[in-house]
């Protein structure tokens, strides 16, 4: 009976583990593979989704936070409150995190930290970018197969989730086969293979015949990659997989341009796709700069149209949503999340995150007035953020300039600023006409902190209105 019990447990564990066979996969793509894209890829028909490459050095210092407002798990960088990795239950059973690493112990520390929130861990051994190579990551590991195997073996032996790696082919078919045999001997669950060498780029023809030969010599699933230049519709995905003789396929650039490539019913119109992507970005509080990059990838040459040029000028989520008639939805959703207590960038303050011992104080250039904390009673404070995107450098005066011009015209002393810096965050006090003004919002640099303080002053002396600041996103109400 005891033997049967253990057999059943083993069967259940096997059933729960991510299966890489006969799958169509969203490939790891830097800046693209964030939560909105991954969820949209799954909606369109992808079987598995990979995150963008996330570096172990960044992840190892992150703090895990359960975000009940968004329904997500956030890995937060405690140095500035930014979210390095965000996921949710909708994708957990089909989510693989790709990690950039050159150290087995560090990789294991990250793996143990995040394995409860993902279904697979992939080690990037195929990125040819200089950043990866200089750090001993990516394709640099292919030149050190023993080290690569040590990293994989360490993870396979100590994690509860399947471990994989993604490589590029070597110039020699025989050498590629030997490398793959060595890597697969570590017990990894699958191996992704890009059909180009480390020195080849998308403009070069892929080599599906190499992957086909490699696949004959391994028993684990081979996931082919590198066919996007010839993938224009769903059927082309299957065609390239067959050319490679692979069990599964992952799609990168073709999915970046139109993630509905995974849709058996055909591609969605560009505007429909962008609206879906925007809604997910708003719902999951995706950073505007990342959302903008994703839409740029979808629009491509359409960025040269009048609407495209208007889009390129946008910086906030509201600005982008307005272009696709989703502005009201965006404003209502952001307000809803704010009222529920979502910890967005606006609420980030120094020292709010545990493990503060790993924080770096980056206030070297900030003038810190120690007497500020002793006398704060007369400071006029408001939660007003300075958003650079609201100002055209060629036509608009920034808040500090507006205040300076006003002072000059009215024969008043120019404003002065004192800035404090803590944990890579900055906040200024603007002194003008014998009164002091400060934003409760901590900015990411000294200059923006001074602009925010000037903006609070402008509001209080009537040079800008609350309505204007609400409309452009500087005040969230």
């Amino acid at each position: 009976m005891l033997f049967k019990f253990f057999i059943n447990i083993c069967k259940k564990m096997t059933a729960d583990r991510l299966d890489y066979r006969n799958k169509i996969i969203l490939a790891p793509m830097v800046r693209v593979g964030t939560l909105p894209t991954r969820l949209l890829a799954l909606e369109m028909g992808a079987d598995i989704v990979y995150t963008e490459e996330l570096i172990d050095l960044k992840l190892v210092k992150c703090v895990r936070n359960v975000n009940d407002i968004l329904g997500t798990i956030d890995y937060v960088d405690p140095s500035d409150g930014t979210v390095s990795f965000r996921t949710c239950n909708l994708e957990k059973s089909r989510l693989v995190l790709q990690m950039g690493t050159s150290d087995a112990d560090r990789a294991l520390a990250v793996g143990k930290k995040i394995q409860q929130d993902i279904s697979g861990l992939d080690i990037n051994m195929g990125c040819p970018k200089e950043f990866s190579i200089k750090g001993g990551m990516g394709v640099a590991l292919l030149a050190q197969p023993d080290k690569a195997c040590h990293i994989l073996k360490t993870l396979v032996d100590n994690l509860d989730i399947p471990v994989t790696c993604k490589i590029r082919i070597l110039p020699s078919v025989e050498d590629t086969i030997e490398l793959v045999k060595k890597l697969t001997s570590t017990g990894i669950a699958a191996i992704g293979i890009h059909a180009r060498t480390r020195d080849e780029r998308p403009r070069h023809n892929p080599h599906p015949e190499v992957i086909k030969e490699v696949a004959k010599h391994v028993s684990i699933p081979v996931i082919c990659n590198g066919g996007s230049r010839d993938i224009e519709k769903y059927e082309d995905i299957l065609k390239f997989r067959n050319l490679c003789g692979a069990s599964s396929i992952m799609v990168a650039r073709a999915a970046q341009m139109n993630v509905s490539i995974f849709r058996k019913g055909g591609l969605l119109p560009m505007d429909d796709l962008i609206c879906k992507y925007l809604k997910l970005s708003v719902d999951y509080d995706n950073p505007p700069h990342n959302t903008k990059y994703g839409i740029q990838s979808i629009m491509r040459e359409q960025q040269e149209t009048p609407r495209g040029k208007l889009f390129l000028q946008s910086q906030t989520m509201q600005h982008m949503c307005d272009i696709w008639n989703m502005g009201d939805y965006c404003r209502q959703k952001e307000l809803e999340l704010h009222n529920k207590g979502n910890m967005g960038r606006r609420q980030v303050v120094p020292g709010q995150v545990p493990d503060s011992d790993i924080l770096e104080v980056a206030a070297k250039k900030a003038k810190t007035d120690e007497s500020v904390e002793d006398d704060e009673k007369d400071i006029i404070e408001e939660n007003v953020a300075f958003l650079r995107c609201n100002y055209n450098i060629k036509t608009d005066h920034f808040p500090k300039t507006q205040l300076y011009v006003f002072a000059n015209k009215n024969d008043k002393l120019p404003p002065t600023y004192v800035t404090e810096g803590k944990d890579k965050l900055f906040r200024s006090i603007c002194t003008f006409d014998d009164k002091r003004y400060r934003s409760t919002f901590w900015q990411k640099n000294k200059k923006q902190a001074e602009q925010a303080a000037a903006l609070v002053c402008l509001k209080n002396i009537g040079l800008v209105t609350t309505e204007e600041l609400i409309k452009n996103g500087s005040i969230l109400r």
Side-chain angles (χ1 to χ4, degrees):
M1 290 294 292
L2 188 61
F3 177 74
K4 288 184 178 180
F5 171 77
F6 281 116
I7 290 295
N8 290 332
I9 291 293
C10 290
K11 285 182 178 179
K12 184 180 187 304
M13 289 176 63
T14 302
D16 289 343
R17 287 173 71 86
L18 188 63
D19 183 4
Y20 291 87
R21 297 181 186 277
N22 195 32
K23 297 295 189 295
I24 296 176
I25 301 167
L26 175 71
M29 291 178 285
V30 175
R31 298 176 65 187
V32 176
T34 49
L35 183 58
T37 298
R38 299 196 305 265
L39 291 177
L40 192 50
L42 290 172
E43 180 185 336
M44 294 296 108
D47 299 307
I48 297 173
V49 290
Y50 279 52
T51 69
E52 60 180 329
E53 180 191 22
L54 298 169
I55 307 302
D56 58 356
L57 283 167
K58 191 171 184 69
L59 286 173
V60 77
K61 69 176 182 178
C62 283
V63 177
R64 183 180 186 270
N65 176 55
V66 178
N67 190 329
D68 293 323
I69 308 301
L70 295 178
T72 61
I73 302 296
D74 300 340
Y75 283 81
V76 181
D77 183 342
S79 66
D80 61 5
T82 57
V83 177
S84 297
F85 169 52
R86 171 168 283 163
T87 183
C88 67
N89 279 332
L90 289 174
E91 65 171 356
K92 180 181 177 180
S93 64
R94 295 177 284 175
L95 175 65
V96 176
L97 184 142
Q98 187 185 67
M99 179 164 57
T101 187
S102 61
D103 183 87
D105 292 336
R106 195 163 58 235
L108 181 59
V110 173
K112 286 184 173 180
K113 175 185 283 191
I114 64 175
Q115 66 176 344
Q116 61 187 308
D117 298 314
I118 60 178
S119 289
L121 180 64
D122 182 79
I123 302 303
N124 185 352
M125 299 182 180
C127 181
K129 298 295 178 63
E130 184 179 4
F131 168 79
S132 288
I133 295 174
K134 281 187 174 181
M137 303 178 291
V139 293
L141 288 172
L142 299 186
Q144 298 178 283
D146 289 339
K147 183 177 183 179
C149 286
H150 175 58
I151 292 172
L152 294 175
K153 183 68 173 163
T154 299
L155 295 172
V156 169
D157 290 348
N158 293 282
L159 295 182
D160 299 326
I161 56 175
V163 176
T164 60
C165 67
K166 184 173 182 288
I167 69 169
R168 283 182 169 241
I169 63 173
L170 301 179
S172 160
V173 177
E174 293 73 23
D175 289 344
T176 305
I177 292 172
E178 288 306 309
L179 173 65
V180 171
K181 283 183 176 180
K182 191 166 188 175
L183 295 173
T184 56
S185 70
T186 62
I188 56 175
I191 185 166
I193 306 178
H194 186 102
R196 293 183 181 86
T197 66
R198 62 173 288 171
D199 297 322
E200 292 178 326
R201 296 296 179 266
R203 66 179 180 274
H204 298 111
N205 290 325
H207 308 282
E209 71 282 357
V210 176
I211 297 181
K212 189 169 187 177
E213 192 60 33
V214 171
K216 297 176 182 177
H217 293 80
V218 294
S219 58
I220 64 172
V222 170
I223 307 167
C224 63
N225 177 229
S228 280
R229 57 184 281 172
D230 297 316
I231 294 177
E232 297 180 354
K233 55 185 182 298
Y234 177 83
E235 289 74 19
D236 295 333
I237 297 176
L238 306 180
K239 182 178 179 181
F240 186 75
R241 183 180 67 178
N242 293 336
L243 281 175
C244 294
S247 173
S248 297
I249 179 172
M250 56 172 54
V251 184
R253 286 180 302 112
Q256 179 178 350
M257 292 184 287
N258 193 325
V259 74
S260 66
I261 195 74
F262 297 113
R263 188 170 177 266
K264 293 181 180 179
L267 297 175
L268 289 179
M270 182 188 73
D271 287 342
D272 291 354
L273 195 65
I274 289 175
C275 287
K276 284 179 174 290
Y277 178 71
L278 274 172
K279 184 177 185 302
L280 287 168
S281 294
V282 172
D283 290 348
Y284 289 99
D285 196 23
N286 197 51
H289 64 87
N290 182 258
T291 298
K292 184 174 183 179
Y293 183 81
I295 295 175
Q296 284 181 280
S297 299
I298 298 171
M299 292 190 76
R300 290 176 290 164
E301 65 276 2
Q302 290 296 312
Q303 295 175 75
E304 297 302 317
T305 64
R307 183 175 63 165
K309 291 178 179 178
L310 179 64
F311 163 72
L312 291 176
Q313 295 175 6
S314 66
Q315 294 294 326
T316 68
M317 197 71 76
Q318 287 184 8
H319 291 164
M320 287 182 272
C321 285
D322 281 336
I323 296 172
W324 277 274
N325 299 316
M326 294 179 62
D328 287 342
Y329 177 80
C330 178
R331 280 182 280 274
Q332 291 170 8
K333 189 66 177 182
E334 286 187 340
L335 185 59
E336 173 193 332
L337 296 176
H338 175 70
N339 290 337
K340 286 182 178 179
N342 182 51
M343 282 294 295
R345 174 68 184 87
R346 197 175 294 265
Q347 286 77 40
V348 173
V349 297
Q352 71 177 35
V353 184
D355 296 347
S356 59
D357 56 309
I358 63 175
L359 299 179
E360 297 178 22
V361 177
K364 297 177 181 177
K365 296 183 180 179
K367 297 179 181 178
T368 304
D369 184 349
E370 295 181 357
S371 66
V372 168
E373 294 183 2
D374 297 331
D375 182 16
E376 295 194 344
K377 294 180 181 179
D378 65 337
I379 297 177
I380 299 170
E381 256 190 349
E382 295 196 41
N383 192 7
V384 175
F386 169 74
L387 304 178
R388 170 65 181 79
C389 58
N390 286 330
Y391 303 89
N392 187 320
I393 194 169
K394 294 181 180 180
T395 60
D396 297 332
H397 285 317
F398 283 66
K400 284 182 66 178
T401 304
Q402 291 181 47
L403 187 55
Y404 180 84
V405 170
F406 175 80
N408 190 45
K409 286 183 177 179
N410 291 273
D411 295 322
K412 295 180 181 292
L413 291 175
T416 59
Y417 300 88
V418 175
T419 303
E420 59 178 327
K422 296 179 181 178
D423 303 340
K424 294 185 179 181
L425 297 171
F426 300 86
R427 189 171 61 167
S428 293
I429 293 176
C430 169
T431 301
F432 178 68
D433 202 18
D434 295 327
K435 292 184 179 180
R436 297 194 294 170
Y437 304 90
R438 181 171 66 187
S439 171
T440 59
F441 182 82
W442 289 78
Q443 301 276 173
K444 287 191 173 184
N445 60 56
K446 180 176 180 287
K447 289 183 179 179
Q448 291 185 358
E450 291 177 349
Q451 297 287 3
L455 197 54
V456 174
C457 179
L458 291 174
K459 175 182 177 296
N460 279 273
I461 63 177
L463 293 185
V464 294
T465 67
T466 300
E467 290 70 25
E468 289 177 275
L469 296 175
I470 291 174
K471 186 175 181 180
N472 67 25
S474 297
I475 292 178
L476 187 60
R477 286 186 177 174

